[in-house]
Amino acid sequence: MTGELWKFTDKTGAFSSTNANLINTLYFPLCNNTPIMSGISPDLHGDIKASNNAYLMEPVTRIGLVNSKISRNFWIYSNPKKIWSATGVSRDIQTSKEDTFKLEAGPLWHKITRENKKIGLKAEVTSFIPSSGETIEIMLVNITNISAKSIKFTPTAAIPIYARSADNLRDHRHVTSLLNRAEIDKSGIIVTPTLLFDETGHRKNDNSYFVFGIDGLGKKPEYIYPSQESFCGEAGNLEAPEAAYNNTLPGKKPYQGKEMIGALRFAAKSLARRKSFSYIIIMGITRDKTKIKPVFNNFDSLDKINRALEATKQYWSCECASIELNSSDKNFDHWLRWVNIQPELRRIFGCSFLPDFDYGKGGRGWRDLWQDCLSLILTRPETVKPLLINNFKGVRIDGSNATIIGKNPGEFIADRNNIARVWMDHGVWPLISTLFYIHQSGDLNILLEKIPYFKDQHTCRSRERDFNWTPAYGKELKTSRHQAYSGTILEHLLVENLVQFFNVGPHNLIRLENADWNDGLDMAPEFGESVAFSAMYAQNLKNIAELLAKLNLKEVTVLKELLPLLDTLQAAPVDYSNPEMKLRTLDSYFKAVKYEISGETISLPAGSLIADLEKKAEWLSGHIRKNEWLECGFFNGYYNNSQERVEGKIRGSIRMTLTGQVFAIMSGVALPGQITTLFKNIKKYLQDKKTGGFRLNTDFNSEQLDLGRAFSFIYGDKENGAFFNHMTVMLAYALYKQGRASEGFEALNSIYKMCVNSKVSKIYPCLPEYFDSEGAGKYCYLTGSASWFMFTLLTQAFGIRGEFGDLSIEPKLAAAQFKNKTSISIKTVFAARPIEVVFINPKRADFGKYRIQELTVNGKPIVQKLDSRKFLIKRNIFLSLCNNPLNKIEVFLK
């Protein structure tokens, strides 16, 4: 491919491309909230599904986009020498190469246009899933005669129907085809397999899959090919079907129990020059066959389709604009709309169901639950409270958490597979999201909400099993009197963080267990330690203490069994420098809560509890500063299973992880002078000079079988030295948080530049999980880095955030963000009031060289001659001033 891949075409973030067809790994998401989910490529490869057990089209991975013959297709037969795939997928590669191509897409619709002068036709294929909630994908095909004379052709839509679980892709593929039962309707085909085939327990299938069609005049297909065999013939395939190439009719061959297809042949059409004609194809999944025809009737005309398309465009455009930027870089403003929508896409897709995400069965992980809340809290904290409360129901009394997460809020599933895996960082994220919610809403009382603990057979952080537990016990921890116990959210936070303070390895740092944020560090369960997240737990302990002080309670009620972990409240406090003593304390706690709990609570003096947490936080921070700051000018982030330090100058070369530095900065463990040195070394050892991106680690030049699988990957990909955007954006956040705005902007901007360098990144506008060594973006749309990017941009770069319910404005904008403009603005929502905050910087000064001088709300001066970096608007004052549909806050910088 030469030239840029795409360019923006309007302010909604819509874009166009004339060469997307040259990259066969591109894909684009389509979905609604029901949900039904699709991935679609420039030649309409991809799949359509409602869940892991309900795929209309065969599941496709990244390599499948390249190799598979299965796609949405639309065939044109004029004569034996003029046979054309309007989507560009046929054995006649030469004809496809003669097509001129254009792709247009926006939130969330997709359109390709192919034009072939030899064929004399232009085809425009628009694809979308209606936002109104029907579980269908719509394909609108418009054929135009671009020749000088009338053209007669026979059109056939061809949609292969897989109609089963992704598990059956290799597991009994042929046997499951024998389950297929098809009903041929005048408008198309309905396939309802008899069973969901699963050797662990077959069950009756309730899903039906259908492909219906109609032309622009309301006429139904003339012929329907129900099986791939009837459409392709014995010598053909989906890229050269005999029905399309030989113009053959379906015949009367048996079709039940076959691999199915929705191949709809419409009547021959004679099209005058410059005239157009349209065809509507509806592909769907339903659990109620009686609804298929009513749904089809809602979309059986061009007028209905166009109205649905416009409504879908409007819906997703609004979703993209919950945070809207008006800066000096319009490309950045438009690109940001795609980043802003990604947390919503992950809510719908989970961490599966797009071609790169070839693992899992849908749903999200524990870390995802909390990080995806960040984007919602930014603009809709009032809707997030129930989600946060329900999420805490997944916490176990041993400080670990459920790992199988259901579809509904608060639904956690007992691990029937006995996969005993614990991520040591999981206790960090709930407090980060809850604290942000409290700041945005002012709702400290959420900490006093009572909820149960999760219970299954895993206990003592999955080191042991409770063989007495059965599903009949239920998923809520019970007392010795067999009653479900509920503790406050504050108590849940204490459990998560206190357990980890005592859960240490040989170097008195928190055990790595089965991994931390970096899933690839999964081979050091016995002696591995995470210095990086030890720093974050130190920050958490400090933040809980601050929340307790803010609650202003005289006493705090907690579960009686928790008292040994609050050792300074007892006669014989623990010597924190003695890891064996800490582990004995933890073991005594585990024994007390291993099977059941007393249910008894005790009231503790709030001041004493605060002092205990502060002492632990201070000790752990100091321990890291004293022992893990290296002579080479950065922190060691890990110890491996051989009890060896992972980072530093080892065997003559520098080994460094970005993770080990990011959380030292974010937590405040790194002192100001250390941060300066740290960032210089991050740039020296981890920043790529060509792209400006930051790698996840240096090249260790060997496998690390006593640390994790990551180092067995090729260097520069995935968790071994890729440009991992989640960690880079957290680097930016950490730097901004510590007042290093210039460095924070450099990190944040490096991500954007790599994304929009589309000639190299080879992705549509979005924020991928990472870039490989060649700068190509991988794992698009469904990454937690999007939430953190929006969180960092709004609350740190623009400095618009809550502070215990009040509105804090503390801009950390770089001069480069103004360029040739003297003002930039951002639209968001605070306290359910839409606001536009305009930053006026007449001299385009850099951060550190300006201060807030004046601030107005809806034209009314609130403060003048302030001369401060930060201004706080009390919540009651903000609410009294901001009653307009859009409230304008002007911040004058000098």
Side-chain angles (χ1 to χ4, degrees):
M1 186 191 76
T2 58
E4 293 300 315
L5 174 59
W6 49 263
K7 63 179 180 181
F8 288 116
T9 55
D10 67 27
K11 65 180 183 180
T12 70
F15 60 93
S16 66
S17 172
T18 57
N19 52 11
N21 59 314
L22 302 180
I23 301 177
N24 53 21
T25 55
L26 279 169
Y27 57 86
F28 186 83
L30 299 172
C31 62
N32 64 20
N33 285 297
T34 304
I36 185 168
M37 302 160 283
S38 296
I40 191 166
S41 74
D43 58 7
L44 308 196
H45 277 82
D47 55 32
I48 306 169
K49 59 270 166 182
S51 70
N52 187 67
N53 289 326
Y55 273 78
L56 188 151
M57 293 180 69
E58 181 179 299
V60 66
T61 63
R62 170 179 277 257
I63 195 66
L65 290 175
V66 179
N67 294 331
S68 176
K69 290 180 168 62
I70 294 171
S71 69
R72 309 158 181 84
N73 215 327
F74 197 88
W75 292 94
I76 299 291
Y77 178 90
S78 290
N79 59 54
K81 294 184 179 180
K82 286 190 175 183
I83 301 155
W84 186 50
S85 166
T87 67
V89 180
S90 75
R91 73 178 180 191
D92 190 355
I93 297 174
Q94 185 57 42
T95 298
S96 295
K97 285 184 176 180
E98 292 169 354
D99 293 352
T100 59
F101 173 87
K102 183 179 182 182
L103 177 141
E104 299 164 88
L108 282 176
W109 57 273
H110 182 276
K111 178 181 177 181
I112 61 167
T113 301
R114 300 187 82 98
E115 185 176 313
N116 192 297
K117 291 183 178 178
K118 287 186 178 179
I119 300 296
L121 296 175
K122 177 177 75 172
E124 299 164 288
V125 184
T126 303
S127 302
F128 69 101
I129 290 174
S131 59
S132 46
E134 293 84 357
T135 52
I136 59 173
E137 180 184 307
I138 296 171
M139 187 167 105
L140 174 62
V141 183
N142 189 60
I143 305 295
T144 302
N145 184 349
I146 59 171
S147 72
K149 58 183 180 181
S150 179
I151 294 178
K152 186 176 182 180
F153 62 89
T154 301
T156 305
I159 313 297
I161 301 175
Y162 175 73
R164 46 202 187 270
S165 168
D167 296 338
N168 301 128
L169 193 59
R170 186 183 178 278
D171 185 15
H172 293 91
R173 176 67 188 261
H174 169 252
V175 168
T176 51
S177 71
L178 303 178
L179 305 174
N180 286 337
R181 300 294 185 270
E183 301 171 49
I184 296 179
D185 182 87
K186 290 181 180 180
S187 299
I189 181 173
I190 304 169
V191 178
T192 309
T194 52
L195 288 176
L196 278 174
F197 190 95
D198 183 348
E199 288 189 308
T200 64
H202 307 307
R203 49 196 194 279
K204 187 179 185 306
N205 168 64
D206 295 320
N207 293 314
S208 293
Y209 307 83
F210 60 95
V211 177
F212 276 33
I214 198 166
D215 72 17
L217 294 177
K219 293 183 179 179
K220 297 174 181 178
E222 273 197 336
Y223 299 97
I224 296 170
Y225 305 79
S227 69
Q228 291 187 35
E229 187 178 298
S230 66
F231 183 62
C232 297
E234 293 185 350
N237 56 50
L238 290 169
E239 292 183 349
E242 290 183 3
Y245 275 80
N246 299 338
N247 199 28
T248 56
L249 299 179
K252 295 184 178 180
K253 293 183 69 174
Y255 55 83
Q256 302 293 6
K258 306 281 188 180
E259 292 286 355
M260 297 298 185
I261 193 170
L264 316 180
R265 173 168 161 159
F266 293 90
K269 180 69 180 178
S270 183
L271 199 60
R273 62 188 296 266
R274 297 183 181 177
K275 295 297 182 181
S276 300
F277 197 72
S278 296
Y279 302 88
I280 298 166
I281 311 300
I282 307 292
M283 303 155 275
I285 305 170
T286 183
R287 296 178 69 86
D288 185 353
K289 283 196 295 185
T290 64
K291 293 183 178 179
I292 293 175
K293 288 185 180 179
V295 167
F296 179 63
N297 292 338
N298 289 337
F299 299 95
D300 62 356
S301 72
L302 291 177
D303 183 58
K304 293 176 183 177
I305 293 293
N306 288 328
R307 286 205 304 270
L309 177 59
E310 287 308 308
T312 299
K313 287 182 177 182
Q314 184 175 358
Y315 174 84
W316 288 110
S317 182
C318 288
E319 288 292 308
C320 287
S322 62
I323 296 174
E324 191 173 5
L325 194 58
N326 181 12
S327 75
S328 58
D329 184 346
K330 293 306 173 189
N331 271 352
F332 180 80
D333 300 350
H334 302 332
W335 174 79
L336 193 68
R337 295 173 72 93
W338 289 99
V339 179
N340 196 29
I341 203 176
Q342 285 183 213
E344 182 69 5
L345 293 177
R346 188 157 80 162
R347 183 188 66 80
I348 293 169
F349 281 85
C351 296
S352 306
F353 301 139
L354 283 177
D356 273 324
F357 299 82
D358 53 359
Y359 54 85
K361 298 184 178 182
R364 294 173 290 170
W366 179 258
R367 201 179 298 120
D368 308 326
L369 287 182
W370 299 98
Q371 296 190 117
D372 290 351
C373 281
L374 290 177
S375 61
L376 285 173
I377 296 169
L378 283 171
T379 55
R380 289 173 278 180
E382 67 281 354
T383 68
V384 178
K385 183 175 182 177
L387 293 177
L388 291 173
I389 293 171
N390 281 317
N391 287 351
F392 275 103
K393 294 178 181 177
V395 176
R396 293 191 185 102
I397 195 67
D398 64 6
S400 67
N401 53 269
T403 55
I404 302 178
I405 295 160
K407 291 183 178 179
N408 301 315
E411 181 185 2
F412 299 95
I413 301 169
D415 184 2
R416 297 178 297 275
N417 299 318
N418 194 31
I419 300 174
R421 190 172 184 194
V422 175
W423 284 262
M424 65 81 62
D425 67 305
H426 278 187
V428 165
W429 311 107
L431 179 59
I432 290 175
S433 296
T434 304
L435 182 59
F436 182 47
Y437 164 79
I438 289 169
H439 278 309
Q440 291 294 101
S441 66
D443 178 20
L444 276 161
N445 288 328
I446 190 175
L447 296 170
L448 306 179
E449 295 276 351
K450 287 190 173 184
I451 47 171
Y453 288 90
F454 180 75
K455 172 67 178 170
D456 62 1
Q457 75 268 38
H458 297 299
T459 186
C460 303
R461 295 188 72 82
S462 291
R463 297 172 208 171
E464 298 185 35
R465 288 186 66 188
D466 178 359
F467 290 98
N468 294 320
W469 182 90
T470 66
Y473 176 99
K475 294 178 287 187
E476 294 182 357
L477 177 68
K478 292 184 173 63
T479 68
S480 54
R481 296 183 178 181
H482 309 295
Q483 295 177 330
Y485 172 80
S486 289
T488 62
I489 284 178
L490 174 61
E491 182 186 276
H492 283 65
L493 290 167
L494 287 169
V495 166
E496 287 184 300
N497 290 276
L498 287 171
V499 163
Q500 287 296 71
F501 178 79
F502 290 93
N503 184 25
V504 295
H507 300 89
N508 212 349
L509 294 153
I510 299 173
R511 294 179 60 237
L512 182 56
E513 297 177 308
N514 300 115
D516 63 5
W517 170 90
N518 188 336
D519 289 346
L521 305 184
D522 56 353
M523 298 173 72
E526 292 88 8
F527 301 112
E529 295 164 271
S530 174
V531 184
F533 279 94
S534 294
M536 289 302 287
Y537 279 107
Q539 176 188 252
N540 272 12
L541 291 165
K542 181 180 178 183
N543 285 340
I544 295 172
E546 291 175 353
L547 285 172
L548 279 167
K550 197 73 177 178
L551 272 170
N552 199 26
L553 300 173
K554 290 184 178 179
E555 293 185 329
V556 177
T557 301
V558 298
L559 182 68
K560 178 182 176 182
E561 285 86 340
L562 199 58
L563 190 57
L565 303 184
L566 299 167
D567 61 290
T568 64
L569 278 68
Q570 300 182 78
V574 173
D575 177 4
Y576 295 158
S577 65
N578 186 333
E580 290 80 13
M581 193 173 182
K582 288 167 83 171
L583 289 172
R584 285 197 298 271
T585 301
L586 183 62
D587 285 342
S588 68
Y589 172 74
F590 281 166
K591 287 177 183 177
V593 300
K594 186 173 180 180
Y595 304 114
E596 59 189 14
I597 55 175
S598 66
E600 297 177 29
T601 59
I602 54 173
S603 294
L604 304 174
S608 299
L609 179 54
I610 290 169
D612 181 272
L613 297 172
E614 288 177 339
K615 182 179 179 181
K616 288 177 167 69
E618 185 178 345
W619 183 90
L620 186 50
S621 296
H623 180 67
I624 296 170
R625 289 190 192 109
K626 179 181 178 182
N627 296 290
E628 303 306 328
W629 177 255
L630 306 176
E631 288 184 3
C632 12
F634 53 85
F635 281 95
N636 171 50
Y638 296 94
Y639 286 89
N640 61 26
N641 218 36
S642 301
Q643 305 182 41
E644 298 169 335
R645 185 173 275 162
V646 168
E647 299 180 59
K649 192 168 186 178
I650 299 173
R651 289 192 274 281
S653 64
I654 291 293
R655 293 183 178 181
M656 181 183 187
T657 70
L658 186 57
T659 312
Q661 319 319 313
V662 165
F663 294 114
I665 299 170
M666 189 186 294
S667 64
V669 165
L671 299 173
Q674 290 175 323
I675 295 174
T676 302
T677 303
L678 254 181
F679 191 68
K680 286 180 181 177
N681 283 318
I682 287 172
K683 288 174 68 67
K684 180 178 180 180
Y685 297 117
L686 297 175
Q687 187 175 33
D688 183 75
K689 303 302 181 283
K690 184 177 180 181
T691 65
F694 295 88
R695 292 187 180 274
L696 195 55
N697 54 271
T698 57
D699 190 353
F700 283 29
N701 292 308
S702 64
E703 290 188 88
Q704 302 292 308
L705 300 181
D706 54 0
L707 183 57
R709 68 174 189 254
F711 298 93
S712 297
F713 301 149
I714 190 70
Y715 182 69
D717 219 301
K718 211 61 167 98
E719 289 100 341
N720 187 17
F723 303 97
F724 226 91
N725 290 320
H726 199 170
M727 192 51 62
T728 303
V729 75
M730 287 194 286
L731 170 66
Y733 176 84
L735 290 165
Y736 274 119
K737 182 183 176 187
Q738 304 302 341
R740 307 300 177 106
S742 176
E743 295 91 336
F745 175 71
E746 182 178 353
L748 208 61
N749 197 44
S750 73
I751 297 172
Y752 165 62
K753 290 195 295 185
M754 290 188 75
C755 286
V756 298
N757 184 10
S758 60
K759 184 178 178 180
V760 176
S761 66
K762 298 176 183 175
I763 54 174
Y764 295 139
C766 71
L767 179 53
E769 182 182 83
Y770 72 91
F771 300 97
D772 65 18
S773 276
E774 297 174 9
K778 301 290 179 67
Y779 293 75
C780 294
Y781 300 108
L782 309 180
T783 168
S785 52
S787 287
W788 270 87
F789 195 99
M790 300 306 298
F791 176 54
T792 301
L793 185 74
L794 183 65
T795 67
Q796 293 297 323
F798 281 84
I800 302 166
R801 60 182 180 272
E803 193 169 304
F804 292 106
D806 300 328
L807 177 60
S808 173
I809 300 178
E810 185 184 7
K812 299 173 186 174
L813 296 164
Q817 291 170 277
F818 287 89
K819 290 185 180 177
N820 58 345
K821 294 183 69 173
T822 57
S823 68
I824 58 177
S825 66
I826 191 165
K827 292 179 182 177
T828 185
V829 176
F830 185 79
R833 306 290 168 88
I835 60 173
E836 179 181 20
V837 183
V838 184
F839 295 92
I840 301 162
N841 185 1
K843 295 182 179 180
R844 296 189 286 275
D846 204 359
F847 174 74
K849 297 180 180 179
Y850 59 72
R851 296 168 78 86
I852 299 173
Q853 299 296 327
E854 184 179 349
L855 189 144
T856 67
V857 177
N858 292 326
K860 181 179 179 180
I862 302 302
V863 64
Q864 295 175 309
K865 299 181 180 179
L866 178 64
D867 195 32
S868 174
R869 288 185 176 179
K870 174 180 173 181
F871 185 70
L872 198 70
I873 305 176
K874 291 292 184 181
R875 194 177 188 88
N876 61 335
I877 296 174
F878 172 84
L879 292 173
S880 68
L881 293 172
C882 296
N883 293 299
N884 297 338
L886 179 64
N887 300 279
K888 191 172 185 178
I889 300 174
E890 292 180 298
V891 183
F892 296 87
L893 307 174
K894 287 185 181 178

PDB file of all heavy atoms in Angstrom, residues 80-93:
ATOM      1  N   PRO A  80     -21.717 -15.441 -19.945  1.00  0.00           N
ATOM      2  CA  PRO A  80     -20.633 -16.319 -19.495  1.00  0.00           C
ATOM      3  C   PRO A  80     -19.272 -15.645 -19.386  1.00  0.00           C
ATOM      4  O   PRO A  80     -18.408 -16.125 -18.659  1.00  0.00           O
ATOM      5  CB  PRO A  80     -20.609 -17.417 -20.567  1.00  0.00           C
ATOM      6  CG  PRO A  80     -22.018 -17.468 -21.052  1.00  0.00           C
ATOM      7  CD  PRO A  80     -22.492 -16.058 -21.061  1.00  0.00           C
ATOM      8  N   LYS A  81     -19.082 -14.507 -20.076  1.00  0.00           N
ATOM      9  CA  LYS A  81     -17.800 -13.811 -20.009  1.00  0.00           C
ATOM     10  C   LYS A  81     -17.812 -12.611 -19.065  1.00  0.00           C
ATOM     11  O   LYS A  81     -16.785 -11.989 -18.851  1.00  0.00           O
ATOM     12  CB  LYS A  81     -17.398 -13.352 -21.408  1.00  0.00           C
ATOM     13  CG  LYS A  81     -17.095 -14.507 -22.360  1.00  0.00           C
ATOM     14  CD  LYS A  81     -16.618 -14.000 -23.702  1.00  0.00           C
ATOM     15  CE  LYS A  81     -16.282 -15.152 -24.644  1.00  0.00           C
ATOM     16  NZ  LYS A  81     -15.806 -14.652 -25.968  1.00  0.00           N
ATOM     17  N   LYS A  82     -18.983 -12.300 -18.535  1.00  0.00           N
ATOM     18  CA  LYS A  82     -19.113 -11.160 -17.624  1.00  0.00           C
ATOM     19  C   LYS A  82     -19.821 -11.597 -16.345  1.00  0.00           C
ATOM     20  O   LYS A  82     -21.043 -11.492 -16.220  1.00  0.00           O
ATOM     21  CB  LYS A  82     -19.859 -10.009 -18.300  1.00  0.00           C
ATOM     22  CG  LYS A  82     -19.031  -9.275 -19.343  1.00  0.00           C
ATOM     23  CD  LYS A  82     -19.730  -8.002 -19.802  1.00  0.00           C
ATOM     24  CE  LYS A  82     -18.844  -7.200 -20.755  1.00  0.00           C
ATOM     25  NZ  LYS A  82     -19.478  -5.928 -21.160  1.00  0.00           N
ATOM     26  N   ILE A  83     -19.019 -12.120 -15.430  1.00  0.00           N
ATOM     27  CA  ILE A  83     -19.493 -12.547 -14.119  1.00  0.00           C
ATOM     28  C   ILE A  83     -18.686 -11.758 -13.086  1.00  0.00           C
ATOM     29  O   ILE A  83     -17.458 -11.766 -13.115  1.00  0.00           O
ATOM     30  CB  ILE A  83     -19.302 -14.057 -13.926  1.00  0.00           C
ATOM     31  CG1 ILE A  83     -20.073 -14.826 -15.019  1.00  0.00           C
ATOM     32  CG2 ILE A  83     -19.769 -14.493 -12.533  1.00  0.00           C
ATOM     33  CD1 ILE A  83     -19.522 -16.184 -15.308  1.00  0.00           C
ATOM     34  N   TRP A  84     -19.373 -11.097 -12.195  1.00  0.00           N
ATOM     35  CA  TRP A  84     -18.695 -10.109 -11.332  1.00  0.00           C
ATOM     36  C   TRP A  84     -19.154 -10.247  -9.892  1.00  0.00           C
ATOM     37  O   TRP A  84     -20.354 -10.335  -9.611  1.00  0.00           O
ATOM     38  CB  TRP A  84     -19.012  -8.712 -11.856  1.00  0.00           C
ATOM     39  CG  TRP A  84     -18.284  -7.578 -11.189  1.00  0.00           C
ATOM     40  CD1 TRP A  84     -16.963  -7.463 -10.949  1.00  0.00           C
ATOM     41  CD2 TRP A  84     -18.879  -6.355 -10.709  1.00  0.00           C
ATOM     42  NE1 TRP A  84     -16.666  -6.262 -10.354  1.00  0.00           N
ATOM     43  CE2 TRP A  84     -17.829  -5.553 -10.199  1.00  0.00           C
ATOM     44  CE3 TRP A  84     -20.187  -5.861 -10.679  1.00  0.00           C
ATOM     45  CZ2 TRP A  84     -18.055  -4.293  -9.649  1.00  0.00           C
ATOM     46  CZ3 TRP A  84     -20.409  -4.601 -10.144  1.00  0.00           C
ATOM     47  CH2 TRP A  84     -19.349  -3.828  -9.629  1.00  0.00           C
ATOM     48  N   SER A  85     -18.202 -10.270  -8.963  1.00  0.00           N
ATOM     49  CA  SER A  85     -18.517 -10.166  -7.541  1.00  0.00           C
ATOM     50  C   SER A  85     -18.506  -8.689  -7.167  1.00  0.00           C
ATOM     51  O   SER A  85     -17.457  -8.031  -7.259  1.00  0.00           O
ATOM     52  CB  SER A  85     -17.490 -10.930  -6.694  1.00  0.00           C
ATOM     53  OG  SER A  85     -17.617 -10.557  -5.333  1.00  0.00           O
ATOM     54  N   ALA A  86     -19.641  -8.196  -6.750  1.00  0.00           N
ATOM     55  CA  ALA A  86     -19.750  -6.775  -6.378  1.00  0.00           C
ATOM     56  C   ALA A  86     -18.992  -6.454  -5.103  1.00  0.00           C
ATOM     57  O   ALA A  86     -18.806  -5.281  -4.769  1.00  0.00           O
ATOM     58  CB  ALA A  86     -21.222  -6.391  -6.211  1.00  0.00           C
ATOM     59  N   THR A  87     -18.518  -7.485  -4.403  1.00  0.00           N
ATOM     60  CA  THR A  87     -17.730  -7.269  -3.185  1.00  0.00           C
ATOM     61  C   THR A  87     -16.244  -7.525  -3.413  1.00  0.00           C
ATOM     62  O   THR A  87     -15.436  -7.328  -2.503  1.00  0.00           O
ATOM     63  CB  THR A  87     -18.220  -8.182  -2.047  1.00  0.00           C
ATOM     64  OG1 THR A  87     -17.943  -9.537  -2.387  1.00  0.00           O
ATOM     65  CG2 THR A  87     -19.707  -8.015  -1.809  1.00  0.00           C
ATOM     66  N   GLY A  88     -15.895  -8.005  -4.608  1.00  0.00           N
ATOM     67  CA  GLY A  88     -14.494  -8.243  -4.943  1.00  0.00           C
ATOM     68  C   GLY A  88     -13.959  -9.587  -4.505  1.00  0.00           C
ATOM     69  O   GLY A  88     -12.749  -9.801  -4.494  1.00  0.00           O
ATOM     70  N   VAL A  89     -14.845 -10.521  -4.150  1.00  0.00           N
ATOM     71  CA  VAL A  89     -14.411 -11.841  -3.685  1.00  0.00           C
ATOM     72  C   VAL A  89     -14.797 -12.892  -4.722  1.00  0.00           C
ATOM     73  O   VAL A  89     -15.927 -13.385  -4.747  1.00  0.00           O
ATOM     74  CB  VAL A  89     -15.028 -12.185  -2.312  1.00  0.00           C
ATOM     75  CG1 VAL A  89     -14.557 -13.565  -1.849  1.00  0.00           C
ATOM     76  CG2 VAL A  89     -14.656 -11.132  -1.284  1.00  0.00           C
ATOM     77  N   SER A  90     -13.896 -13.199  -5.614  1.00  0.00           N
ATOM     78  CA  SER A  90     -14.129 -14.230  -6.634  1.00  0.00           C
ATOM     79  C   SER A  90     -12.787 -14.792  -7.078  1.00  0.00           C
ATOM     80  O   SER A  90     -11.727 -14.251  -6.769  1.00  0.00           O
ATOM     81  CB  SER A  90     -14.873 -13.641  -7.835  1.00  0.00           C
ATOM     82  OG  SER A  90     -13.999 -12.861  -8.627  1.00  0.00           O
ATOM     83  N   ARG A  91     -12.868 -15.904  -7.821  1.00  0.00           N
ATOM     84  CA  ARG A  91     -11.639 -16.496  -8.327  1.00  0.00           C
ATOM     85  C   ARG A  91     -11.037 -15.654  -9.438  1.00  0.00           C
ATOM     86  O   ARG A  91      -9.862 -15.778  -9.759  1.00  0.00           O
ATOM     87  CB  ARG A  91     -11.907 -17.904  -8.846  1.00  0.00           C
ATOM     88  CG  ARG A  91     -12.672 -17.949 -10.172  1.00  0.00           C
ATOM     89  CD  ARG A  91     -12.861 -19.354 -10.659  1.00  0.00           C
ATOM     90  NE  ARG A  91     -13.603 -19.379 -11.921  1.00  0.00           N
ATOM     91  CZ  ARG A  91     -14.090 -20.480 -12.481  1.00  0.00           C
ATOM     92  NH1 ARG A  91     -13.921 -21.652 -11.856  1.00  0.00           N
ATOM     93  NH2 ARG A  91     -14.755 -20.428 -13.614  1.00  0.00           N
ATOM     94  N   ASP A  92     -11.862 -14.785 -10.015  1.00  0.00           N
ATOM     95  CA  ASP A  92     -11.404 -13.937 -11.121  1.00  0.00           C
ATOM     96  C   ASP A  92     -10.693 -12.718 -10.546  1.00  0.00           C
ATOM     97  O   ASP A  92     -11.239 -11.608 -10.496  1.00  0.00           O
ATOM     98  CB  ASP A  92     -12.592 -13.530 -11.979  1.00  0.00           C
ATOM     99  CG  ASP A  92     -12.167 -12.846 -13.274  1.00  0.00           C
ATOM    100  OD1 ASP A  92     -10.947 -12.613 -13.442  1.00  0.00           O
ATOM    101  OD2 ASP A  92     -13.040 -12.530 -14.083  1.00  0.00           O
ATOM    102  N   ILE A  93      -9.473 -12.928 -10.105  1.00  0.00           N
ATOM    103  CA  ILE A  93      -8.719 -11.870  -9.440  1.00  0.00           C
ATOM    104  C   ILE A  93      -8.449 -10.713 -10.384  1.00  0.00           C
ATOM    105  O   ILE A  93      -8.465  -9.535  -9.974  1.00  0.00           O
ATOM    106  CB  ILE A  93      -7.401 -12.444  -8.879  1.00  0.00           C
ATOM    107  CG1 ILE A  93      -7.713 -13.498  -7.825  1.00  0.00           C
ATOM    108  CG2 ILE A  93      -6.530 -11.338  -8.291  1.00  0.00           C
ATOM    109  CD1 ILE A  93      -6.498 -14.226  -7.323  1.00  0.00           C
TER     110      ILE A  93
END
